[in-house]
Amino acid sequence: MSAFDAAVFSSNSSFELDHLTIGGVSASQLAAEFGTPLYVVDEEDFITRAENWRNALSESFGENAGNVYYAAKSFLNKEIARWVNSVGIGLDVCTGGELAVAKAVNFDGARIELHGNNKSELEISEAVQYGVHTIVVDSFFEIERVARISSEFGVKQRVLIRVTPGVEAHTHEFISTAHEDVKFGFSLASGAAWDAISDIKGRPSLELVGLHSHIGSQIFEIAGFAAAAEKLISLLAKYRDYYGSELPELDLGGGCGINYVPGEYTPDPFVVMSELAKVVRDACARANIKMPRISIEPGRAIVGPTTTTLYTVGTTKSVELDDGSSRTYISVDGGMSDNIRPALYGAQYLAIIANRLPLGPTQTSRIVGKHCESGDILIREIHMSSDIQPGDLIAIPATGAYGRSMASNYNHLTKPAVVAVRDGAARIITKRESIADILAMDI
Ligand SMILES: Cc1ncc(COP(=O)(O)O)c(C=O)c1O
């Protein structure tokens, strides 16, 4: 029996008879036509998830719904930017490169937000000229730069202040810390966030529209978002008491988790948003302020589950362990260059044989890449069929977020292609890099 798990693969995936199918196209056909490693994006799944976050925000917050900004860093190419634009949600970009992709497809500037802790003058001026909705300022130097550049272009630029609320969340836990030892944002506890407000208020080319926070990633519980929202709302109340007017926007960032392996779950956006709306409403009522427009920036929760990476097995090798047991090393034709997450922070994934039914008993296995690095491990421990052999196709689901976007050319491996599948058809949306592309960079 295949270890296929519908809850981890993209919505239009199934294991039919003896092979994996995604968006109506078989994994073997995809591998034969486009080669491996290959990122396969389930187009309808992406669009549905983006629409769900949009609808969940607007249903839960009603007239106080701001924007869903898809976090481009999780994965962006021109076609993804077109899908995001067509759903009518916004785009959170944090470099000039991400902004360039948006510009290349005429993404509506009024739905773009510029992030980053060290935006260059060029990045700021490109964003101002493109008419981005907001620039999220991250340091005092940057407030001066954005003010100067906006004034040069005769623009009154809307800005949000990135606040470090002293809340850090990862998976099922969050911690509140007194000091905020991170490179992002203005500390709430030290008073820097308040000083940033007064700095911006004194600059005629800037319009302060609100506050922003992003507390972490792979978050499953609402408690961390709630704690951050409470803290930001008390700052909004302090602002109202001091300046006599209310800031209209509050952006609570991204970070919602997804399931990578069986047994985890992907929170329902409608549940997350309605719980958050309740928390924010209560906190605003307690602070006696008008409810601001609420925006969010999901990346992983939109693109993560939509993509499956296909690899071809090159070799297998059995090694004896100290305790007398053995482990099979299964080497595939990609690795840490197309998915750095396991090596970078121990991320876990599922894998299945995609081209046939496994027939042998399972054995303790490790799926590794082809890089010259012992840490080039995609899955540290998994039970795979003992009949796995060179030429088999391996599918690893939920690789849409921070896979291709963090890919490298380590060992001069070329970055894999990205293929969109839908209704039985497949098309390239990012070409496979060639060695010639890489060599072309060298003088
Ligand atoms: C400011 C900001 N917004 C949104 C995101 C997206 O987070 P996720 O993909 O976990 O939703 C990130 C990720 O690092 C971020 O730094």
Side-chain angles (χ1 to χ4, degrees):
M1 209 182 71
S2 168
F4 176 79
D5 184 320
V8 186
F9 277 84
S10 74
S11 300
N12 299 295
S13 305
S14 58
F15 201 90
E16 286 163 18
L17 295 175
D18 61 356
H19 65 272
L20 174 70
T21 296
I22 311 168
V25 191
S26 84
S28 304
Q29 189 186 327
L30 289 163
E33 193 173 341
F34 303 105
T36 58
L38 185 69
Y39 300 104
V40 183
V41 190
D42 182 334
E43 177 175 348
E44 196 210 34
D45 194 24
F46 183 100
I47 289 170
T48 305
R49 286 176 199 276
E51 287 171 346
N52 284 345
W53 280 99
R54 179 197 66 195
N55 297 343
L57 183 82
S58 65
E59 276 177 28
S60 303
F61 287 95
E63 61 180 13
N64 300 111
N67 264 322
V68 172
Y69 293 98
Y70 169 68
K73 71 203 78 178
S74 57
F75 177 55
L76 186 69
N77 66 10
K78 289 184 194 165
E79 187 65 355
I80 295 279
R82 286 186 202 103
W83 296 347
V84 172
N85 205 20
S86 73
V87 170
I89 61 172
L91 194 65
D92 142 16
V93 299
C94 62
T95 62
E98 290 175 358
L99 181 61
V101 179
K103 283 159 98 173
V105 301
N106 295 319
F107 198 100
D108 184 358
R111 279 188 275 118
I112 294 179
E113 195 185 64
L114 178 67
H115 266 288
N117 66 304
N118 186 16
K119 306 167 187 77
S120 69
E121 302 231 344
L122 182 62
E123 288 172 326
I124 294 168
S125 63
E126 283 177 351
V128 170
Q129 286 179 82
Y130 198 60
V132 300
H133 178 64
T134 36
I135 296 182
V136 186
V137 292
D138 199 280
S139 69
F140 290 105
F141 286 106
E142 195 176 277
I143 293 174
E144 184 280 321
R145 283 177 202 147
V146 177
R148 175 168 40 80
I149 292 166
S150 306
S151 131
E152 277 163 21
F153 289 110
V155 168
K156 193 165 175 83
Q157 178 62 51
R158 283 174 300 272
V159 294
L160 291 175
I161 295 175
R162 179 155 180 174
V163 177
T164 319
V167 172
E168 202 191 327
H170 292 286
T171 65
H172 297 279
E173 285 172 38
F174 83 91
I175 47 167
S176 267
T177 54
H179 60 276
E180 298 106 332
D181 189 9
V182 287
K183 70 172 183 171
F184 293 110
F186 293 92
S187 153
L188 185 62
S190 73
W194 183 251
D195 293 344
I197 291 178
S198 19
D199 189 348
I200 293 170
K201 294 294 283 179
R203 296 182 186 268
S205 61
L206 299 183
E207 179 190 353
L208 179 62
V209 289
L211 306 177
H212 169 281
S213 75
H214 171 80
I215 56 169
S217 58
Q218 264 302 81
I219 302 167
F220 290 90
E221 303 296 334
I222 204 78
F225 293 112
E230 292 263 356
K231 293 192 179 201
L232 266 60
I233 285 166
S234 52
L235 186 57
L236 290 177
K238 182 173 171 187
Y239 177 96
R240 192 268 326 274
D241 293 345
Y242 189 83
Y243 290 101
S245 63
E246 303 207 0
L247 291 173
E249 294 190 23
L250 179 62
D251 185 328
L252 293 172
C256 204
I258 64 163
N259 53 343
Y260 284 98
V261 289
E264 293 180 342
Y265 74 105
T266 298
D268 177 344
F270 291 91
V271 174
V272 176
M273 283 298 102
S274 74
E275 285 181 9
L276 191 64
K278 189 175 166 344
V279 165
V280 172
R281 261 192 205 104
D282 290 352
C284 289
R286 273 197 303 280
N288 192 27
I289 60 164
K290 273 212 300 271
M291 176 105 155
R293 277 194 306 279
I294 303 297
S295 294
I296 51 164
E297 303 165 345
R300 183 193 317 271
I302 292 178
V303 72
T306 69
T307 302
T308 301
T309 309
L310 297 179
Y311 300 96
T312 303
V313 175
T315 66
T316 67
K317 185 187 286 179
S318 181
V319 300
E320 292 291 318
L321 305 180
D322 288 346
D323 64 5
S325 63
S326 67
R327 176 178 1 258
T328 302
Y329 276 82
I330 302 168
S331 295
V332 297
D333 52 356
M336 64 194 297
S337 57
D338 60 75
N339 188 354
I340 190 68
R341 296 187 66 255
L344 194 59
Y345 30 67
Q348 293 192 318
Y349 285 91
L350 167 71
I352 65 164
I353 299 177
N355 55 314
R356 63 180 177 86
L357 271 176
L359 297 174
T362 60
Q363 60 189 6
T364 306
S365 307
R366 182 166 284 178
I367 301 186
V368 296
K370 62 179 275 137
H371 294 280
C372 287
E373 173 76 42
S374 308
D376 175 25
I377 295 169
L378 287 170
I379 300 182
R380 183 163 284 278
E381 178 143 333
I382 186 166
H383 294 281
M384 296 292 285
S385 171
S386 59
D387 69 340
I388 191 147
Q389 50 193 293
D392 273 335
L393 278 181
I394 295 253
I396 298 192
T399 53
Y402 309 103
R404 181 62 170 76
S405 70
M406 284 185 157
S408 76
N409 289 119
Y410 180 42
N411 293 142
H412 279 62
L413 250 62
T414 56
K415 290 182 192 158
V418 186
V419 162
V421 289
R422 181 173 195 147
D423 301 330
R427 66 199 166 95
I428 293 261
I429 58 171
T430 294
K431 291 185 218 164
R432 184 178 301 282
E433 253 179 357
S434 67
I435 289 292
D437 291 331
I438 299 179
L439 289 181
M441 302 304 293
D442 289 349
I443 306 301

